[in-house]
Amino acid sequence: MREGYKMTKLGEIPEDWEVANIGDVTSIHIGRDLQEENYSEDKKDEFRYPIYSNTVSNYGLYGYYNFVEYEGESVTVIGRGVGLGTAFHRNGKFGAIGRLIVLFPNQNLNYRYLAFYINYKVNFFVESSAIPQLTGAQIGKYKTLLPPLPEQRKIAEILSTVDEKIELIEQQISETQALKKGLMQRLLSKGIGHTDFKDSPLGEIPKEWEVVKLGEEAIIIMGQSPSGESYNKVGTGMPVLNGPTEFTNIHPIPVQFTTEVTKLASQGDILFCVRGSTTGRMNVADQTYCIGRGLAAIRGGENTSTKYIYYILQNLAKEVLRKAKDMGSTFPNVNSKELFQYKLALPSIDEQKKISDILNLSDQKLEILGERKEQMKEFKKGLMQKLLTGHIRVNSLLRKTEAS
C-alpha cells in the first residue's frame, strides 16, 4: 500500500478521504406525478420553473411549473427506463416528475462532485424487468468516496471545465451541420454562379442543368445475399456486407466471407442501406465486397461524379424516412425501382466536382470535430479515473499544470 493511503471496501484511497452511503450524506426525494394544472410545455412569465423527468435528452427538461417544488444545490438521478442511474447536477428552483430521484447533499458533500461520482463510479444493479427501476431506498445504500470538501470542489471544477470544452465542440458540430444543410439546399438546386433559371419537376434550377433519373446516369447494383453454405468466418474468399449493423463511423467491417460471388461493390462505391430503420445510411467501400440484400452499391457514370451522387443520396434518404414516418412505418426501405427512377438535377461534370469539393470541406470539418470530441471524452474518462479515486490528488495535478 502506498504511503498516505488506506484500504477500504472501495479499494485503496487517500487517508483523509472517507467512504459513506449516499443515503447518509444526502436527503433523498422522489418526483411525483405531473401537476398538469400548474404545467406549461413552454417557458413563460408565469411558468418559469423547469420540470425534470427520467430522460437523458435535453438534460431531462420536460416543461415548466408556475410554482417551486425543489430549491437549491442538488442532483437528480434517472430512476427508471433508458439512462437509468444517470445523474445531473442542479442549482436553483425546479420540479421533478415520474419517480425521478432528487438528492440534496449535506454540508460535507459538493453537489457537482456527487453527480460526477455517480456517473462514473457507481454501478447500479437492477433486476431484470420490463422497465428497469431504481428506488430512493436502493440508491441510498450505494457508497460514495468523500474527499475533503475543498478537494471535492476542485475536482468538480476541473471536470466541469472539460465538460464545457466538450459542449463547445458539440456546438461547433451543430453549427457546421447547419451550414452544410444550407449549402446543400443552395448548391444542389441553384449551383454556383448561375443567373438564368428555368422551371422543372424539381422546382427552379439553372438553365444549363437537366433533370435525369438516377438509374440513367449512375451505376446501381442491388445486393443479393449468397447462399448460406458459402459463408465462413475464417477469412477465406470474398468479404460480405449484409447491412447497416456492419458499419462503423469510418469503414465497413466484413464479418463473414463467401466462396460464392454474387453482387459486388468496388472500392470507392457508395454503399447505401436500403432496408430497415437505418435506411439511407451511407459509407464508401474501402475495398471490394460482396453485398447482401440490405445494401446497394452506387457509382457515378460517364457524366456523373460519384461524390456528387453521394450528396444527392442524402436528400433521398431524408425523403424515404419522412415518407415512412408519414405512413406510420417502422421499417422503411428503398426498392430498386424507386432508386433507379429517383429524379435529380444534374449540372455539368465540372460543376458537380466543384459542388462536391465545397460540401466535402464541411464533411472534413465535421470529421475533425468528431475526432476532437472523442479525444476529449477519452481524456475526461482518464481524468475521472484518477481524480475520483484519489490516484492523483488535485493539488499535485494543479502544480503540474502550472509548471507546464
Side-chain angles (χ1 to χ4, degrees), residues 8 22 50 97 113 127 134 143 253 279 325 334 339 355-356:
T8 69
I22 291 176
I97 62 172
Y113 168 85
E127 293 184 3
L134 178 67
K143 298 185 182 300
I253 299 177
T279 293
K325 183 178 180 181
V334 181
L339 204 53
I355 291 172
S356 300

Side-chain angles (χ1 to χ4, degrees), residues 226 231 238-242 246 253-258 289-292:
Y231 285 101
M238 178 66 65
V240 180
L241 289 176
N242 284 303
E246 297 164 9
I253 299 177
V255 295
Q256 293 174 315
F257 291 75
T258 179
Y289 291 102
C290 176
I291 55 173

Side-chain angles (χ1 to χ4, degrees), residues 345-364:
L346 192 68
S348 68
I349 188 70
D350 288 339
E351 189 171 1
Q352 291 176 46
K353 291 177 180 178
K354 290 178 181 178
I355 291 172
S356 300
D357 287 343
I358 293 172
L359 295 175
N360 191 50
L361 290 175
S362 295
D363 282 342
Q364 289 176 356

Side-chain angles (χ1 to χ4, degrees), residues 125-153:
F125 172 77
V126 181
E127 293 184 3
S128 177
S129 63
I131 302 178
Q133 298 191 50
L134 178 67
T135 67
Q138 288 172 329
I139 196 173
K141 296 177 182 178
Y142 284 88
K143 298 185 182 300
T144 180
L145 288 179
L146 294 179
L149 188 58
E151 190 168 1
Q152 294 178 38
R153 291 172 179 153

